[in-house]
Amino acid sequence: MAVKVMIADDHSMIREGLKQLLELEGDFEVIAEACDGVDCLEKLKTVVPDILLLDINMPNMNGLEVLQKMKDMKMKVKVLVLTVHNEVEYLLKAVDIGVNGYLLKDSESAELKKAIFTIADGKFYIQPNLVPLLQQTMKKKKLAKKKLDSLTDREGELLKLLSDGMSNKDIAERLSLSERTVKNHLSSIFKK
């Protein structure tokens, strides 16, 4: 049985090309197309694809916003982000929201088909050359979180005020502390 696919991309030539490419061998059936994020969400009210191929850069609502809305609405459609963005921030955001796969548009068609089959099978698919970058960034985030978690409540409060642009003197006044105490806390924060 063919995997039912929906394509959401603001470029009609990309949609047409993907549709022809996917339907060529009969493994996939493109059941819907959307030209932007709003159109995508509207069509998802009436069609239920196995996989949604979702572009990030779209007018009216980008792919990450669509992904977030789908999650908020508890839609069960599996999503493969198909994008030109190889920056780790987009990948991290998509993973945080709950994407099933992430593939760059410069991939080979065989890799696209493999990604769709993998996701349809209930697994996740991240383009292989992006995995080390994702792991490295997540490791850094985990280390940063560990460091932040090591702060006392008071140090956390001070750091928040400092990040809001307050001076040591303003912080001292706000928290009814001496400037010396604020400096000591900040010294401790920087050591940690």
Side-chain angles (χ1 to χ4, degrees):
M1 190 154 141
V3 176
K4 292 185 197 124
V5 177
M6 177 174 165
I7 302 168
D9 194 298
D10 59 323
H11 296 96
S12 59
M13 197 180 299
I14 298 278
R15 290 193 312 272
E16 285 175 35
L18 284 170
K19 181 177 168 105
Q20 288 182 8
L21 178 82
L22 292 173
E23 291 186 338
L24 190 64
E25 294 164 25
D27 294 328
F28 308 97
E29 179 191 357
V30 176
I31 62 167
E33 296 177 34
C35 61
D36 63 38
V38 174
D39 186 32
C40 177
L41 288 172
E42 202 55 43
K43 287 194 173 138
L44 283 171
K45 290 176 182 174
T46 57
V47 297
V48 183
D50 298 315
I51 308 281
L52 168 62
L53 296 185
L54 183 63
D55 186 20
I56 288 181
N57 278 353
M58 292 189 295
N60 300 327
M61 186 182 289
N62 71 41
L64 294 176
E65 292 168 325
V66 169
L67 193 58
Q68 185 63 58
K69 284 259 191 227
M70 288 175 69
K71 185 178 182 182
D72 295 345
M73 295 162 73
K74 297 183 178 8
M75 289 184 179
K76 300 289 181 216
V77 176
K78 294 174 182 168
V79 180
L80 172 61
V81 166
L82 191 57
T83 183
V84 294
H85 291 290
N86 63 354
E87 294 89 3
V88 75
E89 291 78 29
Y90 287 101
L91 174 57
L92 274 173
K93 181 82 172 133
V95 169
D96 283 346
I97 296 170
V99 76
N100 302 92
Y102 196 95
L103 190 67
L104 297 178
K105 284 184 176 177
D106 64 0
S107 300
E108 300 286 326
S109 61
E111 188 166 13
L112 172 62
K113 291 174 183 178
K114 179 182 176 185
I116 294 172
F117 279 131
T118 301
I119 293 167
D121 218 19
K123 299 179 191 124
F124 291 92
Y125 191 92
I126 305 285
Q127 184 160 326
N129 65 337
L130 295 176
V131 172
L133 192 59
L134 179 64
Q135 288 172 330
Q136 185 181 8
T137 306
M138 288 176 94
K139 224 180 266 180
K140 283 180 187 171
K141 272 186 146 185
K142 206 179 278 181
L143 184 61
K145 185 180 178 346
K146 195 174 171 184
K147 286 182 179 183
L148 279 175
D149 288 346
S150 74
L151 298 179
T152 65
D153 289 345
R154 177 61 97 184
E155 289 168 343
E157 191 178 7
L158 261 117
L159 187 58
K160 167 82 176 86
L161 295 173
L162 189 66
S163 70
D164 288 343
M166 291 182 76
S167 68
N168 290 1
K169 182 180 178 190
D170 294 337
I171 293 171
E173 287 174 15
R174 166 82 65 89
L175 300 177
S176 303
L177 300 171
S178 70
E179 269 192 76
R180 177 119 186 101
T181 302
V182 169
K183 286 179 184 169
N184 288 341
H185 279 304
L186 289 175
S187 175
S188 173
I189 291 168
F190 293 127
K191 280 180 189 160
K192 288 180 180 179

